Amino acid sequence: MTDAELAARLRTNLLGFKRLQASGTPAWNLNLPGLWASVRPAVPRVLYLQQVFFWDTGALAASLHTLEAFFEGHGIPAWRVQVPSGEPEAEHVLRQAGYRHEDAFQAMGLAFAQGPAAAPPSLPVEPVRTLEELIPFSAGIFGSDAGLQPWHLHPPAALHALVLRGEGRVLACGLSLDEGDTAGIYLVATAPEARRQGLASEVMRGLLTAARGRGLAAAVLQSTPLGHGVYQRLGFRTVGRWTNWVRRQAPPLPATGQE
């Protein structure tokens, strides 16, 4: 499986996961030819929940004013567009429209048939039927419910969540979303007091072992620099460097006290 094929699978899976995060209220979604956008008005300053995904650069260029009205109409002060590797035309369009490149992440993929299977977890990880207890856990890690709230009691069958507990508390967790024959890995996190013990790796091993068991062909994810080495050791390879282009509204001018 080529890097381009794995990157395309990540793009498809990521869009599916983000649509799931925004599924609670139709007004949170904007569907246009060639792109999709979503908002979470309850947390207007959580940037990763205010975003745009596109698969046609021409459509992106034609929709910039509509996007601005959509986000402004929900009171969102900043939003981002993710641009996969090798799309300089999209970056040019966004730069000209006032967007700025603020950060990037590594797109990573693992084709199960192309390498040895990761060892199963050595600690007990367990599936959970609902995501209810992960909402406060995610809030402590990510500063919000990570978009879990709309569907946490009845997650779709394609979503698989694993947790690792200690003394009855969740110490680490992770999610996997099946899209076709590919598992997308999301929200892998460890409680601050339990870090540097390899717990996130244990959760990852559980997610990968389960995905192989379901007969899937690949796993894909987004990685920050902090997690890159962990995922490499599990067999993932980098298949691109995706950038986040952010549009920030200018803050209102302070009142002068004069009419």
Side-chain angles (χ1 to χ4, degrees):
M1 196 175 297
T2 67
D3 288 0
E5 288 171 329
L6 285 169
R9 288 166 183 249
L10 174 59
R11 197 170 191 172
T12 298
N13 198 289
L14 183 59
L15 179 59
F17 186 72
K18 294 302 180 180
R19 286 186 187 274
L20 187 58
Q21 284 181 308
S23 62
T25 305
W28 289 353
N29 298 268
L30 177 66
N31 291 283
L32 296 172
L35 64 86
W36 172 84
S38 70
V39 296
R40 285 296 300 278
V43 283
R45 298 188 181 278
V46 178
L47 184 60
Y48 72 90
L49 293 176
Q50 329 294 343
Q51 52 192 341
V52 180
F53 291 88
F54 73 97
W55 49 95
D56 183 301
T57 299
L60 175 65
S63 302
L64 290 174
H65 292 300
T66 303
L67 288 171
E68 187 165 346
F70 173 66
F71 286 105
E72 286 185 338
H74 285 282
I76 307 301
W79 58 93
R80 74 183 191 184
V81 182
Q82 291 193 339
V83 181
S85 305
E87 301 202 17
E89 184 179 348
E91 295 189 341
H92 175 73
V93 165
L94 294 169
R95 186 182 295 110
Q96 293 297 109
Y99 288 71
R100 294 292 178 264
H101 171 205
E102 293 201 358
D103 61 356
F105 61 86
Q106 301 295 327
M108 303 189 75
L110 167 60
F112 292 142
Q114 292 177 336
S122 59
L123 295 176
V125 296
E126 59 185 89
V128 290
R129 292 186 178 275
T130 78
L131 308 182
E132 189 167 12
E133 63 185 320
L134 299 189
I135 290 178
F137 183 80
S138 296
I141 302 293
F142 303 111
S144 79
D145 67 2
L148 302 178
Q149 188 69 48
W151 38 270
H152 71 282
L153 290 177
H154 304 286
L159 189 77
H160 308 273
L162 291 181
V163 300
L164 193 157
R165 303 179 194 275
E167 298 181 354
R169 297 184 302 112
V170 174
L171 297 180
C173 70
L175 306 180
S176 172
L177 178 68
D178 295 353
E179 287 276 344
D181 64 355
T182 302
I185 308 297
Y186 301 97
L187 302 179
V188 177
T190 305
E193 69 274 15
R195 290 174 181 165
R196 300 188 181 280
Q197 299 177 36
L199 302 188
S201 293
E202 291 292 293
V203 170
M204 282 294 304
R205 292 180 190 280
L207 292 171
L208 294 176
T209 299
R212 281 180 176 269
R214 294 193 299 275
L216 302 187
V220 292
L221 55 81
Q222 308 167 82
S223 174
T224 63
L226 185 64
H228 191 258
V230 172
Y231 300 133
Q232 279 188 320
R233 288 190 290 274
L234 291 168
F236 284 83
R237 70 178 190 262
T238 301
V239 297
R241 183 177 183 272
W242 293 12
T243 57
N244 289 319
W245 287 78
V246 179
R247 179 77 163 87
R248 296 187 181 275
Q249 297 292 351
L253 295 174
T256 63
Q258 298 178 351
E259 295 292 331

